[in-house]
Amino acid sequence: MEDEEPGAAMDAIVTQYNTYEDFLDSQITALDLYYLEDEELARQLVEMGYRGSGEVLKREEFEARKAAAEAARLSQRTQQKTLSSAGKELKDNFLKALALREEANRNGKMTSIIFIRDKNSHGQEVSGYIDFSHRLKTEDFDMYFTGKKRLLPRPTDVSFYNWETHVSTSNASPNYQVIAENSSGLLFKNKRDRKILNVDPKRMLPTSVYDATFEETKEKDCILGAQRRSNQ
């Protein structure tokens, strides 16, 4: 138990100070600077243990503990970013298709556009295109992958249409610009590589950059299509 206390004190120091110099400065008093008249000399004396009112901590040990603390923080952050689809038994083909692309959409290696046509909670038929990557970053998908909630297009998505009220909206997302006025139909322009994505199934051909995937599901006309694969 006695060996743990100094270690805990050192860890507290590493957490409290951003740099080793900040730690050294905290051990220097105004009286030290008055007599020494040299801040760098005062730091050296603290590092050697001749000055200072607290723990003696070498630069190498400080930096090693700092690196270990940062690694632990990143590891914890990674663990917290567990995929929403992980560990879930998915029976719906559509959800399986989303699960296959979730990680790539989260880490930026892929952006996917989802087309959905279904009925909302008011019984109104709605359809739209969803920027999957953006939605993953702005809401919790656990409810969708567990089947407790249905994924539906919203007026805030890249494209939305309510077939009963005739409300139509289109919005740029962090990944796509919408090109609505076009003879070829609705187009999306990827903001990263500037390539144009035509979501018409009859026009869209699989390539090394784009490939269309159409999944049969229990949802009405629910299609996952036109996912973009990064060249990275």
Side-chain angles (χ1 to χ4, degrees):
M1 293 295 293
E2 292 180 357
D3 292 337
E4 293 178 2
E5 292 180 358
M10 297 299 182
D11 289 338
I13 291 172
V14 168
T15 302
Q16 184 177 357
Y17 301 104
N18 292 326
T19 66
Y20 186 64
E21 283 70 26
D22 289 342
F23 161 68
L24 294 178
D25 290 344
S26 72
Q27 302 296 301
I28 301 172
T29 66
L31 191 61
D32 290 332
L33 291 175
Y34 175 82
Y35 284 110
L36 295 172
E37 299 181 343
D38 188 328
E39 185 179 42
E40 192 56 36
L41 176 59
R43 287 176 174 175
Q44 292 176 10
L45 291 175
V46 171
E47 188 170 358
M48 291 185 292
Y50 295 116
R51 274 287 188 273
S53 56
E55 298 286 340
V56 177
L57 182 61
K58 297 296 183 181
R59 181 182 298 273
E60 293 78 13
E61 185 176 1
F62 179 93
E63 292 177 350
R65 287 180 179 271
K66 195 74 172 176
E70 179 64 11
R73 185 186 69 81
L74 291 176
S75 177
Q76 183 178 14
R77 184 179 177 184
T78 300
Q79 291 174 5
Q80 291 173 347
K81 287 188 174 180
T82 302
L83 298 179
S84 297
S85 59
K88 295 181 176 61
E89 185 178 353
L90 306 174
K91 297 180 180 179
D92 186 288
N93 289 335
F94 174 61
L95 293 179
K96 289 179 181 178
L98 291 185
L100 287 173
R101 295 157 179 82
E102 182 186 1
E103 184 174 10
N105 271 269
R106 284 191 184 277
N107 61 29
K109 292 182 178 180
M110 175 191 290
T111 54
S112 300
I113 285 183
I114 306 167
F115 173 75
I116 294 179
R117 184 168 179 169
D118 199 357
K119 288 187 177 181
N120 61 21
S121 59
H122 301 291
Q124 300 169 334
E125 190 168 3
V126 295
S127 63
Y129 290 90
I130 299 170
D131 181 342
F132 184 35
S133 178
H134 179 52
R135 276 278 204 113
L136 280 170
K137 291 178 173 63
T138 56
E139 65 178 302
D140 184 3
F141 262 67
D142 281 348
M143 298 295 287
Y144 299 125
F145 284 116
T146 56
K148 295 179 180 178
K149 188 176 180 181
R150 287 181 302 143
L151 180 62
L152 291 172
R154 300 171 177 172
T156 54
D157 284 315
V158 288
S159 179
F160 172 87
Y161 184 67
N162 186 310
W163 292 83
E164 184 172 316
T165 64
H166 303 293
V167 171
S168 176
T169 63
S170 61
N171 308 279
S173 74
N175 301 303
Y176 292 99
Q177 176 185 342
V178 182
I179 305 175
E181 303 297 329
N182 190 279
S183 59
S184 300
L186 185 63
L187 304 175
F188 297 102
K189 185 176 183 179
N190 191 284
K191 291 183 177 180
R192 182 186 300 177
D193 60 17
R194 318 300 292 176
K195 293 184 182 296
I196 301 297
L197 181 59
N198 189 331
V199 292
D200 183 350
K202 296 179 181 178
R203 289 176 172 268
M204 188 168 50
L205 298 176
T207 69
S208 60
V209 178
Y210 301 105
D211 69 87
T213 304
F214 303 97
E215 304 288 342
E216 294 182 3
T217 72
K218 64 183 179 182
E219 306 286 358
K220 182 178 179 181
D221 294 333
C222 199
I223 299 172
L224 170 70
Q227 85 266 3
R228 173 189 177 279
R229 291 186 180 279
S230 171
N231 290 326
Q232 295 178 353

